[in-house]
Structures are given as C-alpha cells and as structure tokens.
Amino acid sequence: MATTELISVKQTGQDVVGQSLSRIDTRLKVTGKANYTRDLKLPRMLFGRIKRSPFPHARILKIDASKAKSMEGVKAVITGEDFPPATSEDSPPLAVNEVLYHNQAVVAVAATNPMIAEEAINNIEVEYEELPFVTDPEIAMSEQNVRSIIKHPGESTEGHNIGKHLRLRRGMEIDKAFSISDHVIEGTYTTVMETHFQMEPLTFLCQADPDGGLTIWCTNSGAHRAQYDLARYLGIDPHLIRAKVPFLGGWFGSKDESHIAAICAMLALKSKRGVKLELSREETMTASGVRHPTKIYIKDGVTKDGKIIARKIRAIYNGGAYGSQANGNVKAALMASVSVYNIPNAHYDIIRVYTNLVTGAMKRAPMSYQMNWAIESQTEKVAVELKIDPVKFRLMNLLHNGEKNLIGETIDSVTNEQCLTEVVGAFERGTGNQHSTSAWRTGRGIAIGAKMGYGGAFQASVRLRENGRVEVLTELVENGGGILSGVAQIVAQEFSIPLSDVTMMPLIFGNDTATTGFTQGASGSRQLVDVGEAVLMACADVKGKVAKVASARFGFEIADVDVRQGRVVSKTNRGKSIPLSQLFEKAPIRGYRTVAYFVEDTEFVGYGTLFKQFGELDPNTGQATTERAVAYYQSVAQAVELSVNVETGRMKVHRIVAGMDAGRAINPAIVREQITGSVIMGLSACLGEELIISDGRITNANLADYKVITSLDAPSIEPIIVELPHRDGPFGAKGVGEASILPTAPAVRSAVYNAIGVWIDNLPITPENIVDALERKEREAEKLN
Amino acid sequence: MSVYNPSTLERPDSIEELISILKDSQGSARIVAGNTTIYELARQGAMVDVDKLIDISGLGLAYVREIEDADNQRSLRLGATTTFSEIASNQLLSKPPYYSLGETASKITPPQVRNMGTIGGAVCSGIPFYDMPTTALALGAKMSIVSDTGSRLVDVSDFFVDYFVTSLSQSDFLTEIQFKYEPNSVTSFEKLGRMAADFAVVNVSTRIVFEKTTRFVENARIALGAVSNTPVLAIEAAEYLKGREFSPETILKAASLAAEAVSEPMPSVHASSHYKKKVIPVVVRDALLSARDRVRSGGS
C-alpha cells in the first residue's frame, strides 16, 4: 500500500502546492456526517420503482397498468410515452415500442412506500412479442445478420448496427509495409463486460417546483450535465431545472446515467411530490452502464533489429443497445494508441457496434483500457518472439517529445521513457519474492500506456473577504478522489494563505446549478486541470478588482498589486502593503455593535472561464486537423512480480511498481492514492471481474458471484510520481484519476508468461483460464513429440 | 430484486415456544440465525411463501462445550447459534481431533460473515458450497434435533439430502451439533476459491484416525464440498488409506481416488466442472498433507 505522510492543515500558505496535506473532506466522511444522495429525504416523499424487460429483445404490444393505478398509495405510473420522442441514439428513460436489452426499464411507478411500489410493479402486465437478439458484435455487424437491427433516431450509422467507426491511416499502404517487414506477427485480444463496483448505487431524489420546473439531487458526475441532459429528456427549459450533486460514493464513470434521473424527474412532475429512486445493486450492474467488452485484432510488421514499422488494428467494441456518450468517446480508444510508440505505418479501425446488451459506458480510462490491454499484450509478444528484452524493445520504439505522433501532432510534455525507466529502476532495486513450494512459479512483467486529457468549458468564481479568507464557488464533484482538497491547495497557494482559510463551497452545499457557473463535470479526470485553471483565472480576476480599488484609494500601481496573506502587497516593494480590510467599508448593524464589511461600488468576486477546444480528426485518416487534438498525453508504466500455482491456476501478486506522469503533483499523497486505487481496480478486473452473459442475460449481478479482489488479494504497491509540468495545467498538473489502470492487466499477463510460459490473451486471467492454457500447452507439446 | 417484507418477526424465549411457533406456522415461517443467507434467498425470490421470521438469538444456543458421558466418552457440543468467529477462536478446538472446525471457521470469509454467521445456519441452509457442512460430514457429526414429537440425533450422513435441502421437516429445529472425540486422530480443512475472500470452488475436510499402537491408519474420512448437490465422502480413498501408513505416497494415491469419487463435479458461476475435476486431487492432497503435518508435529 502507498504510504502517505500527512501534514496538518494548519500549514502556512507558503508552498501549499506540492504538499501532502490531509484532505478537507476526511473528517466529514470518517465521522459519517457527509451527506450522499441516499441520505437525503423530502417531506411526504414517494418511492420510485421500475418494471424491467424480461427479454433481451422484444416488441412491446401492450402495457396494462390499470390495476396498479387503482392501488391505494400509488401516485404515479409512467411509460415511455410520457417522454418526448427520442432524438438521438441515447438510451430512452423508458422503452418505447421495443426493448433492446434484458432488464431495460419499461414502466415506472411512485408510491407512498417501497412495498406498495413493488406490488404496483408486479401488478402491471406487459405483453411482449419476443424478437431475435444478438450479443456478439461481429455477428451483429455482419451483412448476413438480418435478425436484429438496432436503429436509433438521429444517428449516423455506416453499415449494420455500427454506432461509430474511427479510422487511422498513416504512412504507406499497410500491406506494402508488411511486405517489407522482416517479421509479421499477429494476435487477438479480448476483454469482458465489467461493472464499476462503485460503493453507492445510482440514486436520485427529485421534487416538482412551483415554477413548473424541478429540483433534483443526483449521483451524476456533474450538476450541469444532469441539468442539460434532463432538459433534453423531459423537453423542458433547462433553466427550470435545478440539479444538485452531493458527495458521490465512488464514481469511476458509472454515474452519467441521466436517462435514469429522467425517470425520477418525470415521476416527481406527474405526482407533484418528492420522489426518491434508488437503484438496487442488481439494477446498477445490469441496467445502467458497463465497461465495453472488446475483441481486438493486431498485426505488426517488425524489422529484424526490433523496430515496429507497421501496425494494423481492428478493434471491435461491443456497445450494447445504445450510443450513450460512448459513440462520441470512441476517440479515447484511438488516443490511447497514438502517443506511446512511434510507428511510421499504421492502419487502425475502431468500431463500436450495437447489440442487445446493456449499454457500454464509461469506466475508468474508458475505451483506452481495452486498447492498451491489446497493444501492450501484442507488444510483449512481439518482443518475446524476436528474443529482445521487453523493456529494451519498448524503449527502441517509444515516441519522444518533439516527434510527431500517429495522428500528426507534435507531442510535448510526454514522459514515456522517463516513466518506464524510473519504474524499471525502482522494481529492480526491490527484493524478489520466491515461493518455495514446487507448484508455485514466480514471474515478472512490465507494461506501459498513455491516456489523453480532455478539454471543455469550465467556469468558477472566488470571493475574497476582508480578513483574507477566500470562498470558492464552482462546481466540483467530490467523487472520492480528493478534488476539493486539490483545488483548495491551488487557491491557498495563490493567496499565500493557510488551507484552513479557503472555504470550498461544494464541501458545504454540494454542487448546485442555481448558484454556480457552468462546468463540464467530473469525467476524464479533468476537474483538477480544468476547473483548477478556471479557479486560477478567477483568482487573477479578483486580484484585478482589488488592484483597481487599491490604486484609486491608496496609490498602488494596478500592475504592481498582489494579494497575499490577507494583505494588499506591492509586487516590486514587499515592504509596501496594507491589510485588505482597509479596502472595505463597515456596515453598521445595531449601531455598530455588529459590524459587517462590504466594498463600495463592487464586490471582490472574481470570475474565470476556461474554454478549451480541440480540433476534430480527419474522418478518413484520423489525422489531427489542427495543431492539437487533445489537452495532453499522460504516460504510465508498471512492473509486476507474481507467482502462479501451476496446479490450481491461483495467482499471488506480490508487488507492483506503478509510475505515472502527474505533470505536477498538487498533493502527492492524493496522487499516490489515485495510483494505488487505479492499480487495485485494474488488478481486480484482470484477476476475475466479469459480468457473465448467458442467453442474452447477465447472470451474476450480485456481489457474491461477481468477484472483486479485496485487501487480502492486494499486493504491495509502490507508486512513483513522475513530474514534468505541462504547459497548460494549473502549476503544470495533469489529471491523475485514471491512467494508472491502463498497464496493470497487461503487466500481469507479461509476468504470467514469464512465470509459466503461456500467453493469456483473454481477460480476465482467472485460475481456470490459466489451467486451461497450461493444458493447451501440454497438448501442443505432446503433438510436437 | 424483489423487496422482502415478512409480516411477523417472532423472538421466542424458549425452545418449547419456538417449537410451538413452528408447528402453528405450517411451513410459512423461517428460522433466522446469523442472517447472512436469508436476505440473498429473499432477493432471489426463494422466500415468497414465508411471511414469518423467527429470531433464535435469544435461546442461549451459542456455546462450545466438551462433555464426558457415563461411558467416559468425550464429545464436543456446538450450539446452533455459535458464530464462526467464536468457533475460530475457541481454545477447546485447538485439539487435533477438533482442529478442522476452527480451521474451517477461520477460512469462511469475509470477517463480517464470520461474526454473524452460525454453524447451525451453515448446515441447515443445505448449501453445498458452504464450508461447515463439509467438515461436519468429515467429522461424522450428530445433529441434535427437537420437534413437537420429541428429540432425536440424526447422523450427518443422513442430514444433507439435496441442493438447499436437508432432512429437517417444517417443525424440526436443530439445537446443537455433536462431535465425538477421537483420541488418536488428526483433522484438516482446505479450501480453494478464486480469490482470498470467496466461496469454495472446492473444499475438503479430513479426519484420519490412527491405530493406537502403530503408525497405520485405522480409518479415514475425506469429505468434499462444492462438487455435488450435497457434501460427499470420498469412500474409496478412505478405504484405501485404511491399514496403510500415512505417507506422501499413500496420500497421493488417496487424492487421485478421491477425484474419481466425483465423476462430474457440479459446475457453478465460480468454476466449470472441468476445472473442479482438475483441482479436486490437488485440494485433497493438500488437505491430507496438512493433516500429516499435524501428526508429525506430535498432534495426535
């Protein structure tokens, strides 16, 4: 586990950035006082329940809810017809005409208690005509498939059931590049459907408001996201929607399901009462969003001295029934594969396919996770087949700053080589673990990767008080990662004040669209970088306002003013300063027995807006059409030591050294925790997580049958922070929440090969898969004899 | 994902009261001991005909006792509501003839289940991938049962009937489990799961009784769990060991015989039949080797 040396929050304002200060939300959380959506209640609140499809694909012939509607205590019954017609490939809140996956929401009720709501659901009769279904994307997209065609309004499909097809074409015609290669090596790699396993299942609480609008508390990644999504789903003015996001009990991409929030909202609008809609764990696992299963084919052309000169990838992402935001985010799969290796000739096709399964959604390092599994698995295999040390092989093929990546950007502040060499160095300094029993074999492996950073629109405001206290009012979703602390440290640094003199309003009130400017929300680990940048702009703005008043009234030069430690100070003459309070007027209350402060003519509130947009990729070649296509690239590398039991296939992972480029670590303890958490999540998925699908249905949607690892399975994890400040981020920071999940599974796979000489190409690497692979190897060896 | 909403919760103060409640409810009541299984059964819709729960935590059945009867025969008595944590930490169970009970309890995961789950609940649920039923079978336990018609002892071999089914009738109540003290014996328990905190893919419990004056095996019991609809005894393997030395060689042979006892292990979401078949001899071997270690360390 990561060791964290925490420093008391009473630390002075000097150099707060870069310190492992203890988190400002810790006390609330460990004392159970932090409120999550599940904790909230409204007077006379109703309880929502959803009736779901028993079939993976069926036509809805008739919904008879008359019996439910006549029950005492039932206050609203809604179906898909209650919503405006869908205008995109997004999941509808409730199915209309057809259900496209098992457990899809069909009817919803609100009743005075959960038992009545449950009974009402059971009293609703839905008549279906079963239709053929398809769960294999390669079958779904083939021209021969005429059994299940999934069409959504407003989508641009090419061919059968294809939601999105991204292409990368670089260099010469790829077959020609293979023909001049010394070796051509192929591999096929698969990943499975995973749930996020966030602690808090999806929950919504909504009330109808007197102006015809509504207020909703929700487990979404952003309040403004929920607001605008809901406006679209409900067909009402977004400014009649007040969306609030309290603390989130874990996120990992799991909580962007605004179509489910829309069910709660519609129940509240129809019943004109407060409605709570809590999804069960089973509903969260089967009917919200999942990690896309994939099948990825890779073919490499390599010179005899180990240079990859051609790479062809065909990646099939099983998208499930709807587009959600995933069609738009297929780009993340491409971006994971363009800035690690320098490959002159590349031909990639990345295809997201509709099937009759729950929608593929975002999970920690979405889309890129699967691509990195395939690419690193393949890269390791090529190195081994060429008999070149895998570290050396990677070093020979890495991209470096100043070189053009596969989509034509000149890359900058990338630490591919530094990450890899620092991890290998630390790994080799550690002692090896060996198992004495004859059945255990020890192996070591490495893998690397890179994740893209996103842009978007972000607004923030800060208010400066007469005693130097700063209040930060912006949308910052605390999904567990420590973002409130990170941004508070940036502000404390900016005003040279102790962390305790910064009030983060989201810690007090949660997030609320009625009181803050717009932000894009939490996804893509973007809050620290992008909201952080907007907050810095707001800090500069308020300092400008202070400068104007200080100049008019105290003769400061506007450009010379800084605000530090509650004082207006001259930048050039540190001796010249006045307390901030001198810029404030005193307001008499009760004849000056109570005194309030205000600024004449203005308020010391600063605003910042960051709008970071990047160019589109050329649809035919995937090449960047502008200088930059993403915010940044972030390198990661990991080395794993483990032992495998050749009799049972059981694995003990002893040690993982995990390096990640943080740009600049604002709070190193939090960065190390994010690395550790990502590694644990990656290892858990690698060792056994799988939503098993049988007959179009997920069969293990419970915590006993869907296995995640526990602390008993966790290895020693040594996080390494690599710092090369980025030109854009606040103090050079990059987002740190996701990238470290990328290399874990392929590094484990490399170590398994190193230990027992078999390649596991299909995740998860379960004991059973290991035993099967060993059996295959034995059979092949027998054949050769 | 159904909401389970029983109408009544009974908390009897005596076994007599409990028996009368059971008799009156005619199968519509379910006994709750540690409450680690009921919720999952309800969630899966297996409790639709049950509208009454009976909390037996007030009956004073949480105990571990060793008794010596008139014939100087010692035996261990575990009350039905004794938790796995109590079993795992009880000093009486450090003796080799009982050792596997504590070992089994300590391998039940996670700690929350050890703290709440009871030995009575574990056997009465009739769930074949639980750990305690396997050890109860290996130790030849006697189930002490009362009903409105009186009390009786049922041999463990007759207790587990089918998947989730025991020989208990609707008006029967298990009060305690009895284990005979075998003076010259060692016991062991091994479990293979996919992860550290997991149900068993295969579990194995053993008891090896040695002849008083020699190093030869007088009799052996090897029980396997999670491989069939009830825990099963590997009879041929046990027969093979009888009269033989308990050596690595005989252990290997017994392990392969034990694997033959289950021709087609029951598959589950946790593991295929093929995988189970492959690992059964490994787990049996490891269980027997660990029993042998206890002999060597002067255990029996």
Side-chain angles (χ1 to χ4, degrees):
Chain A
M1 288 289 132
T3 51
T4 51
E5 324 80 42
L6 295 176
I7 296 166
S8 152
V9 291
K10 289 206 177 70
Q11 171 86 15
T12 80
Q14 303 293 323
D15 287 325
V16 179
V17 160
Q19 302 286 345
S20 290
L21 303 183
S22 71
R23 281 171 53 165
I24 62 175
D25 56 337
T26 303
R27 188 170 292 271
L28 271 182
K29 286 180 173 170
V30 299
T31 56
K33 286 179 185 140
N35 276 332
Y36 297 79
T37 307
R38 287 223 160 192
D39 297 317
L40 306 178
K41 292 183 176 71
L42 287 169
R44 300 176 67 238
M45 179 174 88
L46 303 175
F47 296 85
R49 276 284 187 283
I50 297 171
K51 189 171 185 78
R52 299 181 173 279
S53 165
F55 304 112
H57 192 193
R59 190 168 290 120
I60 300 170
L61 299 178
K62 191 179 161 200
I63 298 175
D64 181 358
S66 52
K67 200 171 161 195
K69 280 178 180 164
S70 67
M71 284 172 61
E72 190 165 336
V74 173
K75 302 296 180 188
V77 178
I78 59 171
T79 69
E81 305 291 340
D82 289 297
F83 295 87
T87 55
S88 78
E89 77 276 21
D90 271 2
S91 302
L94 296 170
V96 180
N97 301 327
E98 269 186 36
V99 286
L100 294 180
Y101 64 93
H102 176 246
N103 262 0
Q104 184 172 1
V106 180
V107 193
V109 304
T112 47
N113 74 46
M115 314 301 165
I116 297 177
E118 179 78 16
E119 206 183 324
I121 286 298
N122 293 335
N123 281 337
I124 294 168
E125 306 218 350
V126 184
E127 220 175 285
Y128 295 97
E129 176 195 343
E130 272 190 79
L131 297 170
F133 66 89
V134 58
T135 56
D136 180 335
E138 289 185 294
I139 293 172
M141 70 194 283
S142 77
E143 292 301 322
Q144 285 75 40
N145 162 40
V146 287
R147 289 156 37 87
S148 183
I149 307 295
I150 296 166
K151 280 296 288 179
H152 300 301
E155 89 190 45
S156 54
T157 56
E158 348 177 6
H160 263 43
N161 290 332
I162 289 175
K164 186 79 178 181
H165 184 160
L166 273 189
R167 296 172 180 81
L168 173 73
R169 303 288 183 266
R170 185 191 198 214
M172 67 177 83
E173 204 275 313
I174 201 68
D175 286 331
K176 194 163 168 232
F178 288 130
S179 73
I180 58 167
S181 303
D182 298 318
H183 306 273
V184 173
I185 296 166
E186 294 186 62
T188 304
Y189 309 93
T190 65
T191 66
V192 294
M193 186 185 280
E194 301 163 17
T195 189
H196 302 77
F197 220 83
Q198 78 278 18
M199 228 189 289
E200 178 192 37
L202 301 186
T203 304
F204 310 94
L205 175 67
C206 187
Q207 71 181 22
D209 287 336
D211 61 355
L214 57 90
T215 301
I216 186 161
W217 291 259
C218 50
T219 50
N220 279 55
S221 65
H224 286 88
R225 284 185 174 209
Q227 174 194 15
Y228 286 95
D229 273 350
L230 282 174
R232 188 163 55 88
Y233 281 121
L234 301 172
I236 65 177
D237 179 353
H239 305 296
L240 291 178
I241 295 172
R242 273 66 58 169
K244 298 175 180 235
V245 177
F247 289 112
L248 292 184
W251 181 55
F252 316 118
S254 63
K255 289 172 173 167
D256 266 345
E257 313 303 328
S258 297
H259 60 284
I260 305 172
I263 299 173
C264 185
M266 187 58 82
L267 287 171
L269 290 174
K270 291 277 175 191
S271 65
K272 303 209 168 17
R273 296 263 292 259
V275 176
K276 183 108 171 245
L277 178 65
E278 298 183 336
L279 263 57
S280 67
R281 176 65 64 180
E282 182 176 358
E283 287 175 297
T284 300
M285 289 172 94
T286 59
S288 59
V290 293
R291 168 95 77 192
H292 290 71
T294 58
K295 188 169 190 183
I296 300 175
Y297 301 89
I298 307 187
K299 184 173 175 183
D300 283 345
V302 197
T303 65
K304 58 180 179 295
D305 52 355
K307 179 83 187 98
I308 306 171
I309 58 167
R311 178 166 273 178
K312 186 177 185 184
I313 296 181
R314 182 174 167 80
I316 312 292
Y317 282 68
N318 189 342
Y322 293 95
S324 182
Q325 74 211 79
N327 284 344
N329 206 28
V330 173
K331 184 181 172 188
L334 183 61
M335 293 308 177
S337 57
V338 300
S339 271
V340 179
Y341 297 110
N342 195 352
I343 303 171
N345 305 291
H347 182 116
Y348 298 177
D349 289 277
I350 304 170
I351 306 166
R352 185 175 183 276
V353 184
Y354 294 125
T355 59
N356 293 109
L357 290 170
V358 57
T359 303
M362 304 297 104
K363 180 178 173 183
R364 209 168 200 167
M367 316 310 257
S368 44
Y369 164 87
Q370 297 93 327
M371 195 60 130
N372 203 63
W373 156 254
I375 287 176
E376 282 303 293
S377 295
Q378 168 78 2
T379 303
E380 183 78 11
K381 179 165 133 173
V382 172
V384 168
E385 290 200 11
L386 265 59
K387 299 192 169 56
I388 302 175
D389 173 71
V391 174
K392 203 170 140 201
F393 180 69
R394 285 177 172 83
L395 285 170
M396 287 165 66
N397 286 286
L398 284 182
L399 257 175
H400 298 92
N401 286 327
E403 292 174 339
K404 280 210 181 327
N405 68 4
L406 272 56
I407 59 169
E409 297 168 290
T410 303
I411 60 166
D412 154 82
S413 16
V414 163
T415 58
N416 288 330
E417 184 167 340
Q418 199 184 343
C419 262
L420 178 55
T421 51
E422 285 197 25
V423 163
V424 169
F427 190 60
E428 283 173 355
R429 281 192 295 278
T431 52
N433 294 273
Q434 292 291 335
H435 269 268
S436 50
T437 327
S438 59
W440 290 95
R441 309 273 187 278
T442 300
R444 295 169 149 212
I446 58 148
I448 59 176
K451 189 189 172 298
M452 69 178 270
Y454 297 80
F458 303 86
Q459 297 182 309
S461 57
V462 298
R463 179 184 288 272
L464 184 61
R465 297 296 188 183
E466 76 283 353
N467 57 2
R469 170 169 290 282
V470 180
E471 294 159 5
V472 180
L473 187 56
T474 182
E475 184 185 322
L476 267 177
V477 175
E478 182 52 86
N479 49 32
I483 189 61
L484 292 178
S485 295
V487 173
Q489 282 182 239
I490 288 172
V491 174
Q493 175 83 25
E494 228 11 51
F495 288 97
S496 298
I497 52 177
L499 195 58
S500 53
D501 283 357
V502 178
T503 299
M504 298 300 293
M505 284 304 175
L507 181 75
I508 316 298
F509 295 127
N511 296 287
D512 184 346
T513 54
T515 57
T516 63
F518 178 81
T519 84
Q520 203 97 10
S523 63
S525 302
R526 66 181 103 192
Q527 290 193 113
L528 180 72
V529 175
D530 293 335
V531 182
E533 193 69 42
V535 165
L536 274 181
M537 292 161 86
C539 293
D541 187 44
V542 81
K543 285 184 181 184
K545 288 187 174 178
V546 170
K548 269 189 197 161
V549 177
S551 142
R553 294 182 39 196
F554 295 94
F556 281 82
E557 288 288 320
I558 287 189
D560 189 41
V561 169
D562 197 3
V563 179
R564 301 167 63 86
Q565 296 174 320
R567 300 181 74 83
V568 180
V569 298
S570 158
K571 286 181 195 166
T572 49
N573 174 7
R574 283 293 157 117
K576 186 181 172 189
S577 79
I578 54 168
L580 257 178
S581 57
Q582 289 196 14
L583 305 188
F584 284 74
E585 304 299 327
K586 288 179 180 169
I589 301 175
R590 299 173 198 275
Y592 283 111
R593 271 173 296 174
T594 301
V595 175
Y597 291 85
F598 67 99
V599 186
E600 208 180 339
D601 300 330
T602 188
E603 290 183 62
F604 284 159
V605 179
Y607 295 94
T609 294
L610 176 77
F611 186 31
K612 224 193 289 181
Q613 256 189 323
F614 301 100
E616 291 295 307
L617 304 178
D618 182 284
N620 298 313
T621 64
Q623 296 299 300
T625 55
T626 49
E627 193 190 329
R628 292 171 72 183
V630 302
Y632 55 80
Y633 295 97
Q634 176 180 28
S635 310
V636 282
Q638 284 170 25
V640 173
E641 185 171 53
L642 53 76
S643 297
V644 182
N645 185 308
V646 292
E647 292 177 331
T648 62
R650 273 295 305 262
M651 200 193 295
K652 284 181 193 162
V653 181
H654 309 300
R655 181 170 176 239
I656 298 182
V657 177
M660 178 172 74
D661 170 14
R664 172 86 197 276
I666 303 294
N667 182 318
I670 294 180
V671 176
R672 284 193 287 268
E673 283 165 4
Q674 286 300 310
I675 295 174
T676 305
S678 299
V679 168
I680 294 281
M681 198 173 211
L683 187 62
S684 184
C686 172
L687 296 185
E689 286 189 41
E690 177 177 12
L691 284 168
I692 297 165
I693 297 149
S694 167
D695 198 25
R697 293 149 174 91
I698 293 169
T699 58
N700 62 333
N702 63 70
L703 304 192
D705 293 337
Y706 181 93
K707 287 308 289 183
V708 297
I709 64 169
T710 65
S711 53
L712 295 174
D713 303 286
S716 147
I717 297 170
E718 298 157 46
I720 294 176
I721 300 171
V722 175
E723 287 186 295
L724 177 64
H726 187 254
R727 57 187 164 182
D728 293 343
F731 301 96
K734 295 179 179 179
V736 298
E738 298 171 87
S740 291
I741 199 171
L742 292 173
T744 311
V748 166
R749 174 185 177 272
S750 302
V752 167
Y753 181 82
N754 186 242
I756 58 172
V758 297
W759 293 121
I760 308 288
D761 293 338
N762 309 309
L763 280 176
I765 308 179
T766 60
E768 183 153 357
N769 288 348
I770 286 179
V771 165
D772 287 349
L774 283 167
E775 273 185 359
R776 273 197 304 277
K777 185 185 169 195
E778 256 171 55
R779 276 201 303 273
E780 276 157 26
E782 275 166 24
K783 256 188 238 161
L784 287 177
N785 294 337
Chain B
M1 56 193 102
S2 53
V3 178
Y4 181 56
N5 187 28
S7 61
T8 342
L9 176 67
E10 300 272 7
R11 287 203 167 99
D13 295 321
S14 66
I15 291 176
E16 294 70 34
E17 190 188 343
L18 167 72
I19 296 300
S20 123
I21 297 168
L22 279 177
K23 194 180 173 207
D24 294 346
S25 355
Q26 309 252 328
S28 67
R30 193 66 48 93
I31 289 167
V32 182
N35 205 3
T36 58
T37 305
I38 288 278
Y39 179 79
E40 181 59 18
L41 290 178
R43 206 187 59 84
Q44 293 185 2
M47 301 272 290
V48 283
D49 52 345
V50 177
D51 68 350
K52 187 185 290 178
L53 296 181
I54 309 172
D55 174 3
I56 55 166
S57 58
L59 297 181
L61 295 176
Y63 56 80
V64 178
R65 286 180 201 140
E66 201 175 32
I67 306 253
E68 202 162 319
D69 66 16
D71 309 325
N72 292 339
Q73 175 64 57
R74 283 156 76 188
S75 70
L76 182 79
R77 310 287 170 96
L78 296 185
T81 60
T82 313
T83 65
F84 302 129
S85 291
E86 287 160 346
I87 295 169
S89 60
N90 194 290
Q91 280 307 304
L92 270 178
L93 306 184
S94 57
K95 297 173 188 169
Y98 304 143
Y99 191 85
S100 61
L101 280 165
E103 195 176 21
T104 305
S106 68
K107 286 180 179 172
I108 292 169
T109 54
Q112 293 90 325
V113 168
R114 285 203 294 277
N115 290 338
M116 298 296 293
T118 67
I119 188 164
V123 297
C124 292
S125 329
I127 296 175
F129 49 85
Y130 276 6
D131 298 321
M132 267 307 170
T134 311
T135 293
L137 182 61
L139 297 182
K142 296 267 190 280
M143 310 302 199
S144 177
I145 293 162
V146 293
S147 74
D148 55 324
T149 57
S151 61
R152 65 190 194 275
L153 278 182
V154 172
D155 190 276
V156 65
S157 306
D158 302 321
F159 186 77
F160 299 110
V161 175
D162 204 344
Y163 195 70
F164 283 67
V165 181
T166 66
S167 65
L168 290 172
S169 78
Q170 289 169 0
S171 54
D172 283 341
F173 176 62
L174 175 86
T175 56
E176 69 172 24
I177 306 179
Q178 307 180 358
F179 301 90
K180 189 175 152 207
Y181 183 83
E182 284 287 354
N184 295 306
S185 70
V186 289
T187 58
S188 68
F189 176 79
E190 276 292 329
K191 170 179 179 176
L192 180 71
R194 293 161 304 167
M195 288 170 190
D198 202 357
F199 288 125
V201 162
V202 173
N203 61 31
V204 173
S205 203
T206 75
R207 185 183 68 186
I208 312 297
V209 184
F210 294 93
E211 290 174 2
K212 278 195 186 67
T213 51
T214 71
R215 289 172 301 139
F216 296 115
V217 174
E218 183 177 290
N219 73 67
R221 280 173 80 98
I222 303 168
L224 284 72
V227 297
S228 182
N229 50 0
T230 64
V232 293
L233 284 173
I235 291 168
E236 269 188 64
E239 281 299 316
Y240 167 79
L241 284 175
K242 211 183 255 186
R244 288 196 159 80
E245 203 170 343
F246 197 44
S247 67
E249 294 71 34
T250 57
I251 282 174
L252 277 182
K253 175 71 179 165
S256 70
L257 286 171
E260 285 165 28
V262 190
S263 59
E264 184 85 21
M266 175 185 69
S268 71
V269 67
H270 310 125
S272 71
S273 183
H274 177 77
Y275 177 74
K276 288 189 178 189
K277 188 129 182 98
K278 187 106 184 163
V279 295
I280 285 172
V282 176
V283 187
V284 173
R285 180 201 67 198
D286 289 351
L288 291 172
L289 285 174
S290 118
R292 185 168 180 272
D293 283 344
R294 279 162 207 161
V295 183
R296 280 145 42 104
S297 61
S300 65

